[in-house]
Amino acid sequence: MSSNVSNRVKNLSESATLAMAAKSRELKAQGLDIISLSLGEPDFDTPDFIKEAAKEAIENNFTHYPPVNGYQDVREAISLKFKRDNNLDYPPENILISTGAKQSLMNVFLSLVNPGDEVLLPAPFWVSYSAMAEFSGAKQIIIETSIESDFKITPDQLRANLTANSKLMVFSSPCNPSGSVYLREELEALADVIAEYENLYVISDEIYEHINFTGQHASIGTIEKIKDRVITVNGLAKGFAMTGWRLGYIGAPQWIIKAASKIQGQFTSGANTIAQKAAKAAVLADPSVTHEMRDTFLRRRNLILRELNTIAGLKVNVPQGAFYVFPDISSYFGKSSQEGIIHNATELCIYLLSEAKVALVTGDAFGNPNCLRISYATSDEILLDACNRIKTALQKLY
Ligand code: PMP
Ligand code: GLU
């Protein structure tokens, strides 16, 4: 029978990061020696004190439906965290807890964006922003950057892309996939432009906040003149190694919280109760509990940069956060393997998977067709092996 799937889903692209991770699992299951540097997932286990809080939640029977917007005490804890770590003023009623930052983001897209509205995506952007924009019926306005500008947009670039239909700008800092971090002065300069457009909202995705090598994390939501138009998204997955717990949250003006809660009330009834209590323990802990993981990521970043810099033809930025490197590999376009000419980043990715048995993600998925994303959230040994394999495979191209 031919598929009768809705047009909405037909037009939705599959998550390239999850697709590559699934492909690697499939090849591994077939017995192939695949190294997967495709998925953005810390290789650490969740810290014990967080697991203990979850066990306690079960023992204390936090097993019933929660309030749709999240438990009051957990929202109070997040409110404290926002103030303590980010100097953001979000009282508990301005917080909504959801099933991962992914759901937090989608709630906001659906709450704000009408078909035809313009959504601005500074590229490279995280894959799902584009899918969410598409699903909301938005017109996507991609603002291109390059390695030369450290993959960051300038106020002039932003202004040049704004129109009367601009509704939402979405960015992450530290950035997935480039690892770039916006400094406070840079956010202030962007905020000056945003302030001129009263109908423009900003999603600031700060999920990599704790994996920041500059020692300074700046939140655009602290800038007075635009703070009523900023939605701050955060989550537990990256900084606390809690990807599987599926817990994220937003701080936002109350009307956005109300709209997003309405959506959540119809579709999920709220986030998992046990994960909420675990999240409370995580956000109340001193952020220094995340430092050991951050320091390990920094050491690995240095290792992978050292190795990548020995490969001819790669242009590599120095990521200041997250756990990705986003090298420009366009000098390989036009070269050939036994299978034929490599025209683009997607074909190079496929070549590296079949020849080097290393899974990476094409830059196309992130809005930059000249690059590849490498996730370095794995051991030194595996990273060294992967870099050697990549180098050997690239040297074979002619
Ligand atoms: N934002 C960014 C920038 C991410 O890389 C991810 C990856 N998971 C998410 C949001 C979604 O996080 P979660 O796992 O909490 O849904
Ligand atoms: N955010 C991670 C990544 O970019 C996890 C996968 C996903 O959620 O798409 O790889």
Side-chain angles (χ1 to χ4, degrees), residues 40 99-103 105 126 129 172 176 205 207-208 235 237-238 243 246-248 324:
T99 304
K102 225 176 211 174
Q103 194 200 3
L105 285 158
W126 180 47
Y129 300 160
S172 59
N176 176 2
D205 182 344
I207 196 163
Y208 293 95
K238 313 295 175 174
T243 44
R246 311 304 308 124
L247 209 98
Y324 309 103

Side-chain angles (χ1 to χ4, degrees), residues 15-19 21 37-41 102 126-128 176-177 207-208 237-238 243 246 323-324 361 366 373 375:
S15 163
T17 48
L18 298 184
L37 304 183
S38 56
L39 192 62
E41 166 156 47
K102 225 176 211 174
W126 180 47
V127 271
S128 297
N176 176 2
I207 196 163
Y208 293 95
K238 313 295 175 174
T243 44
R246 311 304 308 124
F323 36 66
Y324 309 103
V361 186
F366 305 96
R373 189 188 78 172
S375 165

Side-chain angles (χ1 to χ4, degrees), residues 198-274:
E198 285 173 10
N199 296 323
L200 178 65
Y201 294 83
V202 179
I203 292 183
S204 174
D205 182 344
E206 305 184 14
I207 196 163
Y208 293 95
E209 167 192 7
H210 293 303
I211 310 169
N212 181 330
F213 313 133
T214 69
Q216 277 174 27
H217 173 76
S219 297
I220 197 165
T222 56
I223 300 174
E224 196 59 35
K225 61 179 135 183
I226 60 159
K227 73 175 195 197
D228 291 340
R229 289 190 274 125
V230 174
I231 301 97
T232 308
V233 174
N234 211 325
L236 285 292
K238 313 295 175 174
F240 293 93
M242 290 176 69
T243 44
W245 298 73
R246 311 304 308 124
L247 209 98
Y249 54 88
I250 58 171
Q254 257 191 58
W255 63 273
I256 296 179
I257 297 291
K258 279 196 184 136
S261 298
K262 197 159 128 188
I263 297 168
Q264 191 157 295
Q266 290 289 24
F267 298 142
T268 66
S269 302
N272 175 287
T273 52
I274 297 143

